[in-house]
Amino acid sequence: MNITPNSNNRRISSMRTIHFVTPEDKNAAMTPTSDRDQVMISQEGRDRLEILADKVENQLGAMTKEDFMDMLQQWQNENQPKLEVNPYRSIDPDGSIARKIYFESYLGQLKEMEDTIKCYYADAYEEAVSAPINSLAFISGKYLCDWSDYFDPNIPKQERKWTHHQLWAMLTDSNVALNDPYALASSGGPKTVDEMDEIAKRAVKSKLDELIKEREIKHN
């Protein structure tokens, strides 16, 4: 299964400032004269799908699962990807089965990472819930405030930040971050967009192969 992008588009680059000089100074070194002598230019935009992948890769650390799912759904609605399913056209002519399995697999991977993260912080969560003070105040004191009586200096600084962030999300019933290097270390670390895409594609192939075998058995 492949998603075919529009090759006429290109990635939008960062903006660049160009300064113009007067004709009298055209042979001299180029120097800006005023704000009006500046223009902003950029390269052509590229395919929406590639932009989506870039956004996910660059922003996953700051995104919740809900944010990612909303963006994924928006992309699907806007682009209606044509997933090539040959040689499976006879059992999935419009690609609807392939699309369904693909997105179920993709979102399933996100849910699996979420469950792994919550399991990893389960003990710390129970400690916060059972703390003698407000749970949110406790985790701030233990993981962020070195002047607090609850502060734990034995936990590396970066790990303390991650623990506080994830516990805060769990205690406030919001979404944990899905690129946690500590919670996901035992399962191979956070998955990249390409890795999740490849797993979802394999899930599609496996399902379509299964449907073909079922049809062959039924006809024999």
Side-chain angles (χ1 to χ4, degrees):
M1 178 189 68
N2 296 309
I3 299 177
T4 306
N6 182 347
S7 60
N8 292 327
N9 293 334
R10 296 291 184 271
R11 187 194 308 271
I12 297 176
S13 69
S14 58
M15 306 298 277
R16 300 180 182 179
T17 303
I18 294 181
H19 305 287
F20 291 100
V21 296
T22 62
E24 292 77 11
D25 297 329
K26 66 181 179 180
N27 294 323
M30 191 177 300
T31 56
T33 57
S34 72
D35 291 341
R36 291 174 298 177
D37 292 326
Q38 302 180 10
V39 297
M40 306 297 288
I41 64 171
S42 66
Q43 300 175 0
E44 294 181 348
R46 69 180 299 179
D47 168 73
R48 288 178 181 233
L49 175 59
E50 187 169 348
I51 291 177
L52 172 67
D54 288 345
K55 285 182 178 179
V56 174
E57 192 122 34
N58 294 331
Q59 299 176 7
L60 196 57
M63 291 177 64
T64 65
K65 183 187 72 171
E66 185 178 54
D67 293 334
F68 179 82
M69 291 172 64
D70 288 344
M71 186 167 67
L72 190 63
Q73 184 62 52
Q74 180 181 354
W75 172 82
Q76 182 186 21
N77 293 339
E78 291 177 352
N79 293 271
Q80 288 299 308
K82 297 179 180 179
L83 305 181
E84 297 179 5
V85 293
N86 288 333
Y88 306 108
R89 190 174 301 279
S90 61
I91 58 171
D92 188 22
D94 61 356
S96 59
I97 297 176
R99 282 193 294 271
K100 179 176 182 293
I101 299 302
Y102 181 89
F103 285 104
E104 283 180 350
S105 173
Y106 212 123
L107 298 181
Q109 294 176 68
L110 297 177
K111 181 62 167 62
E112 182 180 359
M113 287 191 289
E114 179 186 51
D115 291 344
T116 300
I117 290 168
K118 289 184 176 180
C119 182
Y120 180 83
Y121 291 109
D123 290 342
Y125 174 84
E126 290 300 325
E127 180 187 33
V129 171
S130 305
I133 61 174
N134 175 273
S135 298
L136 297 179
F138 173 78
I139 64 172
S140 293
K142 180 171 182 177
Y143 301 107
L144 297 183
C145 305
D146 57 7
W147 45 262
S148 170
D149 293 337
Y150 300 102
F151 183 71
D152 187 350
N154 297 317
I155 304 175
K157 181 178 180 180
Q158 200 62 23
E159 186 174 356
R160 279 192 280 107
K161 287 184 178 180
W162 269 105
T163 303
H164 177 268
H165 177 86
Q166 302 292 48
L167 288 177
W168 187 282
M170 293 168 66
L171 290 166
T172 57
D173 197 27
S174 53
N175 295 300
V176 296
L178 299 180
N179 66 329
D180 187 330
Y182 300 99
L184 298 174
S186 62
S187 59
K191 295 178 183 175
T192 66
V193 171
D194 288 341
E195 288 171 338
M196 291 190 291
D197 173 68
E198 185 60 33
I199 292 172
K201 287 178 179 179
R202 290 201 299 266
V204 171
K205 184 179 185 304
S206 177
K207 180 61 177 180
L208 296 180
D209 286 341
E210 178 185 337
L211 292 176
I212 287 180
K213 290 181 179 179
E214 290 177 356
R215 187 182 63 176
E216 291 175 349
I217 292 174
K218 185 177 180 179
H219 291 169
N220 290 337

